[in-house]
Amino acid sequence: MRNDTICALATPAGGAIGIIRISGDCAISIADSIFMTKNRKSLREAKGNTLHYGEIHDGQATLLDEVVVSVYRAPHSYTGEDCIEISCHGSQYILQMVLQALIDAGCKQAQPGEFTKRAYLNGKMDLSQAEAVADLIGSSNKASHKLALSQLKGHFSSELAILREQLLKLTSLLELELDFSDHEELEFADRGALTTLAQKIKNRISTLAHSFETGNALKNGIPVAIVGKTNVGKSTLLNRLLHEEKAIVSDIHGTTRDVIEDTTTIRGITFRFIDTAGIRKTQDTIEQLGIERAYKKMEAAAIVLWVVDIPPSNEDIKEMEERTLGKQVILVHNKIDKAPHDGNAALSSSIANEAFATEAFISAKSGQGIRALEDAIYANAHVPEIDEDSIIVTNVRHYEALTHANESISRVLQSMEIGLSGDLISEDLRICLEQLADITGGQITTNEVLGNIFQHFCIGK
Ligand SMILES: Nc1nc2c(c(=O)[nH]1)N(C=O)[C@@H](CNc1ccc(C(=O)N[C@@H](CCC(=O)O)C(=O)O)cc1)CN2
Ligand SMILES: Nc1nc2c(ncn2[C@@H]2O[C@H](COP(=O)(O)OP(=O)(O)OP(=O)(O)O)[C@@H](O)[C@H]2O)c(=O)[nH]1
Ligand SMILES: [K+]
Ligand SMILES: [Mg+2]
């Protein structure tokens, strides 16, 4: 059966060249029907991986553009199908007209991610690699770029393949045990070795699952909550860090009612700065809700910027300590432009406290001390060294599958401990294997799952 031939614009608007991509059984013949070279050679005769200069005409023989056409022949293309790329002049008008000419000649407009979906369905890449393509396009910093590249190159997939191999080995050893269980002396002969193998698998799965915390932070921004009493200058600081007037600043206490957040990069790492409602006693229910949200954001953050404009009391420090257990807290003394802080050093050492990772002295208003604060934020993010070989889970779908896999391999270990027989254990092993297979899409992946994944791609990818 012939499949649909799809087409879409592959480049964003505004460039000097715009590329239209076509894929499917009729890609070459459809492109040929609107393309003409000087020597009238047909694209149908063209070899794979060749470039052809010529003209595009619409169905009424009107000249649309002078172009370069690339020909890929199945299976040697991105999608694994016959593919054509038409490089046009970057006018949105021209590109629309060429797309329309292709559709008139029998192409269908591609759905978001449909080229990559075809690449997956044709075995050019597995599902986690296809997802990496979207991550790569979306990567906005060094870390997320490296992680996406690593996943695209298949490092995560190979790791999963090793785990699956070990799980299969475990399964077959258990089956062997079952086969021999008539022989009393062989029963549970080598459970020790089986347990060691299962434990090894569990450790690896659990490490991968736990890496998501880091992976997610690197991809979506390390969460940094800006908290403190009203009017200390939290929103002014947010705007300063983001280099834009994101939050309303005023001298009225309780200006910020809700959480305001956005990302920015510091030294190649994305941080998510979260401005919160100033903390004070209030009768205002809406403001109170905002304050509760502030506490929640503080709990979820990796780093807390506790902003003060006068040195905090011991009582304040104690309360903050209780609320920020396990967080990196940077005590930020703001408004140093106002009061001359000659006593900075003295002040700092007088309240030097284990509760704080460090202290910073700034003027959010003038920008003084902000670079040092950024340095402190970066240093306290404890960003791991990442290279193209690093395997850190960044995708929530993979994280969920790993979490389920971890649960089932834990049950396997428990069952082994209490000496359950192999057939009861194999069911959990089977679930574990399935969960890992879902990540790369090795088994049948439902249309719903595929739909969920590819709908977030851009058209033309
Ligand atoms: N013009 C253009 N640039 C592009 C892409 C594209 O599709 N077209 N890509 C799209 O994302 C990326 C590159 N990815 C690609 C992946 C595979 C093949 C390909 O033709 N693969 C063949 C041949 C492999 C080989 O020679 O080793 C194959 O897999 O058989 C092309 C591009 C980025 N740049
Ligand atoms: N002199 C001086 N004034 C500042 C500085 N930072 C903020 N302010 C002023 O302090 C007042 C409060 O600033 P905001 O940024 O709204 O304070 P906030 O902590 O977000 O206040 P709430 O949202 O009400 O909790 C405004 O008048 C700011 O202009 C600073 O570094 N120096
Ligand atoms: K304010
Ligand atoms: Mg505010």
Side-chain angles (χ1 to χ4, degrees):
M1 201 189 78
R2 307 217 112 198
N3 68 2
D4 284 340
T5 294
I6 52 172
C7 67
L9 186 60
T11 47
I17 308 281
I19 300 178
I20 289 168
R21 199 188 222 181
I22 312 166
S23 181
D25 294 340
C26 301
I28 296 173
S29 59
I30 291 175
D32 187 53
S33 74
I34 62 166
F35 179 71
M36 180 77 74
T37 60
K38 263 189 227 143
N39 58 16
R40 306 194 163 257
K41 248 178 126 179
S42 167
L43 284 178
R44 294 163 189 260
E45 264 91 70
K47 289 203 172 121
N49 295 337
T50 53
L51 289 180
H52 305 268
Y53 165 74
E55 290 177 350
I56 297 280
H57 295 260
D58 69 6
Q60 278 72 52
T62 309
L63 175 64
L64 294 179
D65 199 8
E66 183 182 63
V67 302
V68 172
V69 167
S70 337
V71 178
Y72 303 81
R73 292 232 173 237
H76 303 297
S77 70
Y78 178 70
T79 58
E81 302 172 337
D82 280 353
C83 280
I84 293 282
E85 289 170 359
I86 308 176
S87 301
C88 306
H89 290 96
S91 136
Q92 287 309 104
Y93 176 73
I94 292 176
L95 292 164
Q96 279 315 312
M97 295 301 279
V98 175
L99 276 172
Q100 192 54 55
L102 287 168
I103 287 164
D104 292 344
C107 273
K108 283 220 163 74
Q109 165 70 47
Q111 299 294 312
E114 197 170 356
F115 291 94
T116 307
K117 186 176 175 184
R118 288 185 177 200
Y120 162 66
L121 292 172
N122 292 324
K124 285 283 165 188
M125 55 178 82
D126 69 34
L127 215 43
S128 88
Q129 289 174 302
E131 289 167 310
V133 170
D135 288 348
L136 195 61
I137 293 172
S139 67
S140 58
N141 64 61
K142 202 163 135 190
S144 60
H145 169 243
K146 286 212 164 135
L147 291 177
L149 260 186
S150 163
Q151 197 174 312
L152 181 64
K153 288 275 161 211
H155 293 136
F156 183 39
S157 311
S158 324
E159 182 80 19
L160 292 170
I162 294 171
L163 278 170
R164 279 207 302 276
E165 221 168 83
Q166 292 173 336
L167 281 161
L168 286 171
K169 186 174 168 200
L170 195 58
T171 308
S172 56
L173 286 173
L174 274 166
E175 270 164 16
L176 203 67
E177 182 185 80
L178 274 180
D179 289 345
F180 282 98
S181 60
D182 296 342
H183 309 261
E184 285 281 312
E185 71 279 14
L186 268 167
E187 198 178 3
F188 303 155
D190 205 8
R191 272 274 161 106
L194 290 189
T195 311
T196 311
L197 182 55
Q199 188 65 54
K200 190 172 148 196
I201 296 169
K202 185 192 145 45
N203 290 349
R204 190 59 194 140
I205 292 178
S206 144
T207 304
L208 285 172
H210 279 114
S211 74
F212 179 67
E213 198 181 328
T214 307
N216 188 48
L218 290 174
K219 190 162 130 185
N220 298 316
I222 297 172
V224 182
I226 306 174
V227 302
K229 295 187 175 168
T230 56
N231 262 12
V232 294
K234 299 179 296 300
S235 301
T236 310
L237 176 57
L238 175 84
N239 293 346
R240 174 64 64 186
L241 289 165
L242 294 179
H243 314 284
E244 73 170 296
E245 301 303 306
K246 180 92 185 172
I248 297 174
V249 165
S250 89
D251 58 4
I252 300 165
H253 287 264
T255 301
T256 306
R257 294 293 184 100
D258 209 343
V259 171
I260 302 172
E261 56 184 86
D262 208 345
T263 57
T264 191
T265 57
I266 298 177
R267 327 246 182 289
I269 295 295
T270 303
F271 288 88
R272 175 171 294 276
F273 288 107
I274 307 153
D275 181 25
T276 62
I279 292 162
R280 65 165 174 177
K281 296 230 163 6
T282 176
Q283 301 300 318
D284 185 321
T285 32
I286 305 294
E287 191 181 354
Q288 186 54 43
L289 285 175
I291 294 171
E292 277 156 28
R293 279 192 188 184
Y295 285 130
K296 283 222 175 72
K297 285 292 169 182
M298 193 152 89
E299 276 161 30
I303 298 175
V304 174
L305 302 184
W306 181 21
V307 185
V308 297
D309 55 0
I310 49 166
S313 68
N314 284 335
E315 217 170 279
D316 288 343
I317 292 175
K318 204 164 156 242
E319 191 189 341
M320 188 54 82
E321 213 171 359
E322 279 166 12
R323 289 196 180 268
T324 54
L325 276 180
K327 313 266 166 232
Q328 303 290 319
V329 182
I330 300 176
L331 181 57
V332 180
H333 300 270
N334 190 27
K335 308 195 186 179
I336 56 168
D337 57 289
K338 223 170 150 189
H341 277 238
D342 304 333
N344 277 354
L347 177 83
S348 166
S349 61
S350 74
I351 55 167
N353 191 299
E354 308 222 319
F356 313 122
T358 185
E359 291 178 65
F361 295 86
I362 64 158
S363 167
K365 203 172 192 173
S366 77
Q368 202 187 332
I370 293 296
R371 280 200 66 100
L373 175 61
E374 286 175 342
D375 287 339
I377 292 168
Y378 182 86
N380 284 285
H382 302 304
V383 181
E385 269 300 315
I386 290 170
D387 56 39
E388 280 97 63
D389 298 331
S390 301
I391 301 174
I392 294 177
V393 176
T394 58
N395 182 304
V396 70
R397 189 182 74 82
H398 304 173
Y399 169 68
E400 280 168 4
L402 285 165
T403 305
H404 290 137
N406 197 27
E407 285 161 10
S408 41
I409 190 75
S410 301
R411 283 196 301 271
V412 167
L413 273 164
Q414 281 161 12
S415 306
M416 282 180 163
E417 241 162 60
I418 58 173
L420 285 187
S421 75
D423 47 349
L424 294 168
I425 301 177
S426 8
E427 173 63 9
D428 277 322
L429 277 177
R430 194 187 55 75
I431 296 171
C432 189
L433 267 164
E434 253 177 37
Q435 290 295 340
L436 296 185
D438 280 352
I439 296 177
T440 47
Q443 291 170 339
I444 315 132
T445 308
T446 64
N447 278 332
E448 197 191 340
V449 172
L450 291 184
N452 272 334
I453 292 172
F454 289 106
Q455 72 183 356
H456 301 296
F457 278 62
C458 41
I459 289 179
K461 193 56 232 183

